[in-house]
Amino acid sequence: MRYRDPYKKMMANVNMSSQNQGSTRGSLNSELKRELGVNKDGRIYRYKKQLEVSITAEDLKEQFKKQKGCDFWMQSYQIDLNEIFVPHSIEAPSVDRWPDASGGYVKGNFVITTRFMNLGRGNYPAKKFKQFIREYLLKAPKGIEKFI
Protein backbone atom coordinates (compact mmCIF):
# COMPACT_ATOMS: atom_id res chain seq x y z
CA MET A 1 0.00 0.00 0.00
CA ARG A 2 1.43 3.37 -0.96
CA TYR A 3 1.96 6.17 1.54
CA ARG A 4 -0.34 9.18 1.17
CA ASP A 5 1.04 12.39 2.66
CA PRO A 6 -1.66 14.13 4.75
CA TYR A 7 0.28 17.41 4.70
CA LYS A 8 0.30 17.49 0.88
CA LYS A 9 -3.45 16.85 0.90
CA MET A 10 -3.92 19.66 3.44
CA MET A 11 -1.89 21.97 1.16
CA ALA A 12 -4.13 21.03 -1.77
CA ASN A 13 -7.12 22.05 0.37
CA VAL A 14 -5.39 25.32 1.33
CA ASN A 15 -4.72 26.13 -2.32
CA MET A 16 -8.33 25.40 -3.24
CA SER A 17 -9.66 27.49 -0.33
CA SER A 18 -7.42 30.41 -1.22
CA GLN A 19 -9.20 30.69 -4.57
CA ASN A 20 -12.72 30.12 -3.28
CA GLN A 21 -14.48 33.33 -2.25
CA GLY A 22 -16.80 31.27 -0.10
CA SER A 23 -13.91 30.69 2.26
CA THR A 24 -13.26 34.41 2.71
CA ARG A 25 -14.25 35.37 6.22
CA GLY A 26 -14.48 39.10 5.64
CA SER A 27 -17.80 40.90 5.45
CA LEU A 28 -19.07 42.43 2.23
CA ASN A 29 -17.29 45.64 3.15
CA SER A 30 -13.96 43.90 3.74
CA GLU A 31 -10.78 44.48 1.82
CA LEU A 32 -11.38 41.16 0.03
CA LYS A 33 -14.70 42.30 -1.43
CA ARG A 34 -15.03 41.18 -5.02
CA GLU A 35 -15.57 43.98 -7.48
CA LEU A 36 -17.69 43.83 -10.61
CA GLY A 37 -16.03 43.53 -13.99
CA VAL A 38 -17.20 43.27 -17.57
CA ASN A 39 -15.74 40.69 -19.91
CA LYS A 40 -15.17 41.17 -23.65
CA ASP A 41 -18.67 39.82 -24.39
CA GLY A 42 -20.25 42.46 -22.15
CA ARG A 43 -21.15 40.02 -19.39
CA ILE A 44 -20.81 41.16 -15.79
CA TYR A 45 -18.81 39.04 -13.39
CA ARG A 46 -17.07 39.40 -10.02
CA TYR A 47 -13.31 39.46 -9.76
CA LYS A 48 -11.95 36.69 -7.59
CA LYS A 49 -9.27 37.86 -5.23
CA GLN A 50 -7.02 34.97 -4.38
CA LEU A 51 -5.59 34.85 -0.87
CA GLU A 52 -1.83 34.72 -0.55
CA VAL A 53 -0.41 31.25 0.06
CA SER A 54 3.23 31.16 1.10
CA ILE A 55 3.16 28.22 3.53
CA THR A 56 4.31 24.73 2.58
CA ALA A 57 3.48 21.18 3.59
CA GLU A 58 6.58 21.33 5.80
CA ASP A 59 5.17 24.42 7.58
CA LEU A 60 1.95 22.51 8.24
CA LYS A 61 3.95 19.61 9.67
CA GLU A 62 5.89 21.96 11.97
CA GLN A 63 2.68 23.62 13.18
CA PHE A 64 1.07 20.24 13.84
CA LYS A 65 4.09 19.21 15.92
CA LYS A 66 4.02 22.56 17.74
CA GLN A 67 0.37 21.88 18.65
CA LYS A 68 1.37 18.35 19.75
CA GLY A 69 -1.12 16.89 17.29
CA CYS A 70 -4.06 18.56 18.98
CA ASP A 71 -6.81 20.79 17.66
CA PHE A 72 -5.91 24.46 18.17
CA TRP A 73 -9.38 25.39 19.41
CA MET A 74 -10.04 22.30 21.51
CA GLN A 75 -6.63 21.26 22.79
CA SER A 76 -7.88 18.10 24.46
CA TYR A 77 -8.75 16.65 21.04
CA GLN A 78 -6.02 14.69 19.25
CA ILE A 79 -6.33 15.00 15.45
CA ASP A 80 -6.05 11.86 13.31
CA LEU A 81 -4.25 12.99 10.14
CA ASN A 82 -5.67 10.04 8.18
CA GLU A 83 -9.13 11.62 8.42
CA ILE A 84 -8.00 14.04 5.67
CA PHE A 85 -8.51 11.14 3.24
CA VAL A 86 -12.09 10.47 4.39
CA PRO A 87 -14.52 12.48 2.23
CA HIS A 88 -16.62 14.98 4.21
CA SER A 89 -15.11 13.92 7.55
CA ILE A 90 -15.73 16.50 10.25
CA GLU A 91 -12.70 15.05 12.06
CA ALA A 92 -10.34 15.84 9.17
CA PRO A 93 -7.51 18.26 9.86
CA SER A 94 -8.15 21.73 8.50
CA VAL A 95 -6.00 24.85 8.20
CA ASP A 96 -7.60 27.87 9.87
CA ARG A 97 -6.40 31.40 9.16
CA TRP A 98 -5.64 32.87 12.57
CA PRO A 99 -5.07 35.46 14.05
CA ASP A 100 -6.07 37.40 10.91
CA ALA A 101 -9.04 35.60 9.37
CA SER A 102 -9.04 38.00 6.42
CA GLY A 103 -5.33 37.42 5.78
CA GLY A 104 -3.67 34.81 3.66
CA TYR A 105 -2.16 31.44 4.40
CA VAL A 106 1.21 32.76 5.52
CA LYS A 107 3.61 31.86 8.34
CA GLY A 108 2.28 33.16 11.62
CA ASN A 109 -1.31 33.31 10.36
CA PHE A 110 -2.52 29.73 10.48
CA VAL A 111 -3.30 26.93 12.90
CA ILE A 112 -4.39 23.31 12.52
CA THR A 113 -7.89 22.45 13.64
CA THR A 114 -10.60 20.03 12.55
CA ARG A 115 -12.99 20.69 9.70
CA PHE A 116 -15.78 20.70 12.31
CA MET A 117 -14.19 23.48 14.35
CA ASN A 118 -13.11 25.50 11.32
CA LEU A 119 -16.56 25.48 9.76
CA GLY A 120 -18.20 26.02 13.14
CA ARG A 121 -16.13 29.08 13.94
CA GLY A 122 -16.67 30.66 10.55
CA ASN A 123 -16.09 34.37 11.06
CA TYR A 124 -16.92 34.37 14.77
CA PRO A 125 -14.28 36.30 16.75
CA ALA A 126 -11.53 34.03 18.11
CA LYS A 127 -11.75 35.31 21.68
CA LYS A 128 -15.51 34.69 21.87
CA PHE A 129 -15.11 31.31 20.17
CA LYS A 130 -12.52 30.17 22.74
CA GLN A 131 -14.83 31.35 25.51
CA PHE A 132 -17.75 29.44 23.96
CA ILE A 133 -15.70 26.24 23.71
CA ARG A 134 -14.54 26.57 27.33
CA GLU A 135 -18.09 27.13 28.57
CA TYR A 136 -19.50 24.40 26.36
CA LEU A 137 -17.02 21.84 27.67
CA LEU A 138 -17.69 22.86 31.27
CA LYS A 139 -21.46 22.68 30.84
CA ALA A 140 -21.51 19.46 28.83
CA PRO A 141 -23.84 17.07 30.66
CA LYS A 142 -22.24 14.05 32.23
CA GLY A 143 -23.65 10.74 31.17
CA ILE A 144 -24.86 12.08 27.83
CA GLU A 145 -24.27 8.59 26.38
CA LYS A 146 -27.71 7.62 27.73
CA PHE A 147 -29.36 10.01 25.31
CA ILE A 148 -27.44 9.21 22.15
Side-chain angles (χ1 to χ4, degrees):
M1 183 173 189
R2 69 184 175 104
Y3 171 73
R4 296 188 298 177
D5 187 337
Y7 301 104
K8 284 184 181 179
K9 174 68 173 154
M10 287 167 65
M11 274 307 303
N13 291 351
V14 163
N15 287 320
M16 184 173 52
S17 292
S18 73
Q19 297 174 26
N20 177 2
Q21 272 313 131
S23 68
T24 300
R25 289 197 173 125
S27 67
L28 288 178
N29 295 323
S30 78
E31 193 177 300
L32 295 174
K33 177 181 172 184
R34 296 186 297 169
E35 308 225 355
L36 292 176
V38 180
N39 69 14
K40 63 183 177 184
D41 298 327
R43 292 186 183 169
I44 297 173
Y45 66 96
R46 294 209 180 264
Y47 290 110
K48 285 187 177 183
K49 179 158 181 151
Q50 184 172 349
L51 295 171
E52 178 184 357
V53 177
S54 62
I55 58 173
T56 65
E58 191 59 37
D59 295 326
L60 295 177
K61 191 175 192 175
E62 287 175 25
Q63 181 65 31
F64 192 68
K65 285 181 183 177
K66 181 179 171 184
Q67 292 177 210
K68 298 181 173 115
C70 294
D71 186 300
F72 178 79
W73 299 108
M74 193 164 54
Q75 289 147 2
S76 61
Y77 185 79
Q78 195 79 30
I79 296 174
D80 178 357
L81 290 175
N82 289 316
E83 285 293 316
I84 193 77
F85 302 110
V86 178
H88 312 291
S89 172
I90 62 173
E91 298 175 67
S94 181
V95 181
D96 192 1
R97 290 175 280 130
W98 183 87
D100 181 6
S102 65
Y105 294 94
V106 298
K107 284 188 179 184
N109 195 48
F110 75 95
V111 293
I112 310 295
T113 186
T114 59
R115 190 172 287 148
F116 175 80
M117 297 301 268
N118 201 349
L119 293 172
R121 183 173 86 86
N123 63 359
Y124 200 64
K127 188 175 181 178
K128 288 184 176 183
F129 188 69
K130 283 183 180 182
Q131 181 181 349
F132 169 79
I133 294 298
R134 240 187 326 272
E135 290 175 10
Y136 180 80
L137 292 174
L138 287 174
K139 294 177 182 177
K142 307 295 181 221
I144 195 168
E145 298 82 21
K146 292 185 261 183
F147 305 103
I148 298 178

